[in-house]
Amino acid sequence: MNFSLLPQQKHVHAHLLGVLLGVLALLTACSPSLNRQAEMALKNAPKHTLTAEKQRRFNEVYLEGTRQRLRGDNASAYLLFEEALRLNPYAPEALYEMSVLVRESAVSWEDTLLIERADSLLERATVFMPQNRTFLLALADRYADREHYRDAIYYREEAQKLRPADEDNLYSLTSLYIQANDYPGAISTLDRLERLYGATEQIALKKFELYAEMADSARAFQALEDLCAQYPNDLRYRVLLGDAYARVGRGEMAQYIYNDVLTTEPNNGFAQLSLLNQALVEKNDTLYETMVHRLVLNPEADDEARIEALKNYAARHLKGDSTVMLQLFEQVLAQRPTNRGFGDLCYAYMTQRNMPNAPKCRVLEHLLDLAPEHKPTRFQLIRLFIEDENPTRLRKVCLDGLQYDPAEATYYYYPALTYLQDHHTADALALLNRATEAVAPKADLSQLAELYLLKADLLHETGRRKEAYEAYDSVILYDSGNLLARNNYAYFLAEDGERLDYAEKLSRRTVEAEPTNATFLDTYAWILFRKKDYEQARTFIDSTLQHDPAPTATLYEHAGDIYSRCGRTAEAIQFWKKALALASSKATRQRLQRKVRKRRL
């Protein structure tokens, strides 16, 4: 930063800007914010003519202030803009920048003094540079924020004069006129939009709404009639005209228009949908039922209208007997519609009615047939197959997904688990080897870690200890906070009698993270036992037993072994007997019987 440009300042404290702004706000609190009546006074104010040297100095200070603002140093920027305004109080660019700075310093709308100060600066900038659209639009927004809609309209209209084809500004003006309850002004602005960009459905409907608010029904309907005349081949606008008549209670006229549309285009779904609504209004349930089925099951009708009719019909069947609704869904899906909206609606209805998973799975499979690459549908199907404990279908839907996204970790993880369930260890490992190669470049690191964890556990189970330890190292590399990996790695190292200090370090992290987790406590106690720190091991095995509501044979055997090494033989034997009562394998029972018989390890 060029400190020579700062007015006699070597250092700027972090709170300086707030203090300066507060003082300035208090100085101006008694002065009302400038408005259009003050413009002449400002314009007639004596102009501040700068010498060449002062103009050069102003330029340097102003540009340095802008640079500091871009750097985020608002305190320095404030001092620089303040100096610039001392050099030239009428400089619009400095007034504008200062207004932005003051405005940003207001924490909330309750900072009224700062907001008034900012608005005053902005108004002065606009007076001295009235052709600047940025200033005009900013000032219009300030007035709109204060609900001074007339003033906001004035400045937006001034900005529009400078760029007559500004579509966005015309829409903003329309909204302001409506907020000011000036409906003729809003309609006039919509007319300008039509002249520039042509009639649109949005404009016609807004004009209809505004004329209706003005109780001018003739012009309201004329707005829609004009839209229909401009687009005679788009029967959707004729339907909109019918809907407008229906909304004001002129049902016969509405029905005439709908029937006229259907005479021209018998499969027009929007006209049929409007007739459905008419039947509901007239409480003609029989006619409504007939027309719903006719529309929904008509593949020639517009899909959007069919789905809308089906949605409305489903909403009427969220309670009570769902048979009729489900039959209709079944008939629709039997047509194999290519629009997934039908299937999505059917699935949502089944979910809302708490239907069994089997029919929901059929709907999701239909949706996958339409778009097999659609991951959310496939993930939902995976979730249902997991809930139903259906490993065969779970494996298939995941492996099929690999054709469309071979880097998706989910598509490897669950099939590997199903292979394990079926004791196909080699298949599981082969798939996991593919997974760690395919997923690595794109995967979320925690997902990659889960794949390596499953692989590591499998490798150790099959006796490939070196490869298993390498896989565990990968888990910790990708997800150092994976507590299950740390626990398993530490336990297996203890069982194998390898790197016990490292095993203790791994396990200690899990116990510190979850001090009441019995699995983690047991591992830590067992590592201490293997390190011959028996008394400390006993402390942790006691804590394990305290926090495990259903101790296993392994836990009781660990407790017996630890107590035995601590010289507490009677208690050790009791633990071994408990383990013996729970043991399932012959080898484990024989080992425990030998310990009880010999009263020692």
Side-chain angles (χ1 to χ4, degrees):
M1 175 178 175
N2 184 358
F3 284 102
S4 65
L5 295 180
L6 289 174
Q8 307 300 321
Q9 295 291 323
K10 291 285 185 182
H11 302 284
V12 179
H13 296 291
H15 66 281
L16 180 58
L17 179 59
V19 174
L20 291 169
L21 291 173
V23 172
L24 281 171
L26 287 169
L27 290 173
T28 59
C30 298
S31 301
S33 178
L34 296 176
N35 52 38
R36 295 204 304 278
Q37 280 111 13
E39 289 183 14
M40 290 308 297
L42 279 169
K43 286 179 179 177
N44 294 330
K47 296 299 180 285
H48 202 73
T49 304
L50 300 182
T51 64
E53 175 59 26
K54 282 192 174 182
Q55 184 63 54
R56 184 192 63 77
R57 175 66 179 168
F58 170 86
N59 293 342
E60 287 180 349
V61 171
Y62 172 76
L63 290 173
E64 181 64 17
T66 303
R67 192 173 76 85
Q68 293 306 319
R69 247 183 64 71
L70 293 174
R71 289 182 62 220
D73 186 353
N74 286 353
S76 295
Y78 180 87
L79 292 172
L80 289 159
F81 289 138
E82 186 181 47
E83 174 66 8
L85 287 172
R86 275 198 289 269
L87 290 165
N88 184 1
Y90 305 103
E93 65 271 42
L95 288 165
Y96 176 77
E97 291 295 341
M98 184 66 100
S99 78
V100 173
L101 199 61
V102 174
R103 182 84 175 189
E104 287 178 355
S105 70
V107 177
S108 70
W109 284 101
E110 295 177 359
D111 295 333
T112 54
L113 295 178
L114 290 177
I115 290 171
E116 287 178 5
R117 171 68 178 167
D119 291 351
S120 173
L121 289 163
L122 178 57
E123 286 172 314
R124 290 173 62 194
T126 305
V127 167
F128 295 131
M129 191 178 282
Q131 301 300 303
N132 188 305
R133 290 187 86 250
T134 299
F135 297 177
L136 291 166
L137 293 174
L139 192 53
D141 288 340
R142 297 293 179 268
Y143 276 118
D145 289 343
R146 299 206 300 267
E147 299 183 3
H148 294 177
Y149 300 122
R150 282 294 171 192
D151 290 315
I153 289 168
Y154 170 83
Y155 286 108
R156 281 204 172 268
E157 289 288 10
E158 290 297 304
Q160 193 66 24
K161 291 175 185 176
L162 300 173
R163 192 182 297 170
D166 187 342
E167 183 179 10
D168 290 339
N169 191 42
L170 285 173
Y171 277 112
S172 296
L173 273 168
T174 303
S175 297
L176 285 171
Y177 277 115
I178 292 171
Q179 288 173 301
N181 294 319
D182 184 350
Y183 298 147
I187 291 169
S188 175
T189 307
L190 291 171
D191 287 339
R192 282 189 275 172
L193 278 164
E194 280 188 329
R195 286 194 294 272
L196 286 168
Y197 303 106
T200 67
E201 177 184 332
Q202 180 186 7
I203 291 174
L205 291 175
K206 180 55 70 175
K207 287 170 75 172
F208 172 83
E209 180 185 316
L210 292 170
Y211 280 125
E213 285 287 332
M214 296 166 62
D216 190 341
S217 58
R219 289 188 179 180
F221 285 102
Q222 189 60 50
L224 292 182
E225 292 280 9
D226 291 344
L227 184 67
C228 294
Q230 185 165 356
Y231 300 99
N233 295 323
D234 194 336
L235 297 179
R236 191 162 47 96
Y237 295 135
R238 291 282 293 158
V239 175
L240 285 173
L241 179 61
D243 292 345
Y245 278 113
R247 280 200 297 272
V248 296
R250 297 178 63 179
E252 290 184 4
M253 185 63 179
Q255 194 150 355
Y256 169 79
I257 292 172
Y258 301 145
N259 289 330
D260 182 56
V261 169
L262 290 171
T263 300
T264 306
E265 191 179 288
N267 291 317
N268 188 293
F270 295 104
Q272 293 182 57
L273 190 60
S274 294
L275 283 171
L276 277 176
N277 293 331
Q278 280 290 98
L280 280 178
V281 170
E282 295 168 3
K283 298 183 180 179
N284 190 337
D285 292 341
T286 304
L287 177 62
Y288 175 73
E289 292 281 337
T290 302
M291 294 181 69
V292 163
H293 283 73
R294 184 186 304 158
L295 172 57
V296 169
L297 297 176
N298 180 2
E300 301 299 321
D302 185 271
D303 280 351
E304 186 181 343
R306 293 172 68 198
I307 292 169
E308 183 66 21
L310 194 58
K311 182 172 71 174
N312 293 339
Y313 192 63
R316 291 167 59 85
H317 288 79
L318 287 176
K319 294 182 180 179
D321 188 3
S322 61
T323 305
V324 174
M325 192 68 241
L326 292 174
Q327 287 175 345
L328 183 55
F329 274 126
E330 187 175 347
Q331 289 175 284
V332 171
L333 296 181
Q335 296 176 343
R336 310 298 293 173
T338 57
N339 188 319
R340 64 174 292 120
F342 294 99
D344 285 336
L345 183 57
C346 181
Y347 182 79
Y349 178 79
M350 288 180 168
T351 303
Q352 183 77 15
R353 295 299 304 266
N354 295 316
M355 298 287 175
N357 283 351
K360 290 194 288 187
C361 286
R362 288 195 293 273
V363 175
L364 290 174
E365 286 170 332
H366 161 75
L367 289 171
L368 271 187
D369 285 343
L370 294 177
E373 75 287 351
H374 193 253
K375 286 174 71 171
T377 301
R378 194 173 295 275
F379 282 179
Q380 191 74 325
L381 198 52
I382 288 170
R383 185 183 65 80
L384 293 183
F385 287 151
I386 291 171
E387 287 180 6
D388 287 348
E389 298 182 1
N390 192 327
T392 303
R393 297 180 76 185
L394 173 60
R395 183 188 307 160
K396 184 179 186 308
V397 75
C398 287
L399 294 179
D400 287 349
L402 289 174
Q403 300 176 51
Y404 307 99
D405 189 354
E408 174 51 60
T410 305
Y411 298 156
Y412 296 96
Y413 185 80
Y414 289 110
L417 288 179
T418 66
Y419 281 133
L420 281 178
Q421 263 187 320
D422 295 340
H423 307 291
H424 295 165
T425 306
D427 290 331
L429 276 173
L431 186 61
L432 289 169
N433 284 333
R434 276 178 60 195
T436 50
E437 291 178 10
V439 171
K442 295 182 179 179
D444 174 89
L445 293 183
S446 62
Q447 288 184 320
L448 191 57
E450 288 297 326
L451 290 170
Y452 270 107
L453 175 56
L454 186 56
K455 181 179 176 180
D457 290 345
L458 269 175
L459 287 167
H460 193 275
E461 185 181 308
T462 54
R464 296 159 67 176
R465 293 190 305 176
K466 183 175 183 298
E467 293 173 81
Y469 294 154
E470 289 174 354
Y472 281 124
D473 286 332
S474 295
V475 178
I476 294 170
L477 172 66
Y478 293 124
D479 184 6
S480 62
N482 192 312
L483 299 181
L484 184 59
R486 285 175 169 272
N487 177 77
N488 293 2
Y489 194 4
Y491 184 76
F492 290 139
L493 285 172
E495 284 286 274
D496 297 337
E498 296 189 20
R499 293 185 286 164
L500 293 177
D501 288 340
Y502 182 54
E504 182 184 355
K505 180 181 176 182
L506 288 170
S507 182
R508 188 188 309 119
R509 170 85 175 270
T510 69
V511 172
E512 289 170 350
E514 296 185 16
T516 62
N517 186 310
T519 300
F520 296 166
L521 288 166
D522 176 44
T523 296
Y524 193 58
W526 194 239
I527 293 168
L528 293 172
F529 171 80
R530 296 306 296 265
K531 292 182 71 177
K532 300 183 180 181
D533 189 351
Y534 300 126
E535 287 300 328
Q536 189 74 350
R538 186 172 65 82
T539 299
F540 279 93
I541 204 68
D542 286 346
S543 183
T544 305
L545 291 166
Q546 179 186 348
H547 290 104
D548 194 333
T552 62
T554 300
L555 176 54
Y556 280 131
E557 186 175 9
H558 284 174
D561 292 356
I562 291 169
Y563 268 77
S564 177
R565 289 301 187 197
C566 289
R568 302 173 67 160
T569 304
E571 291 163 287
I573 291 171
Q574 290 304 312
F575 283 127
W576 288 330
K577 285 181 177 179
K578 289 181 179 180
L580 187 58
L582 295 171
S584 56
S585 75
K586 182 178 179 181
T588 302
R589 288 197 301 272
Q590 288 176 342
R591 183 176 66 249
L592 288 164
Q593 286 168 350
R594 184 172 59 253
K595 290 177 182 179
V596 171
R597 187 175 61 254
K598 293 185 175 182
R599 301 176 63 82
R600 61 182 175 80
L601 287 174

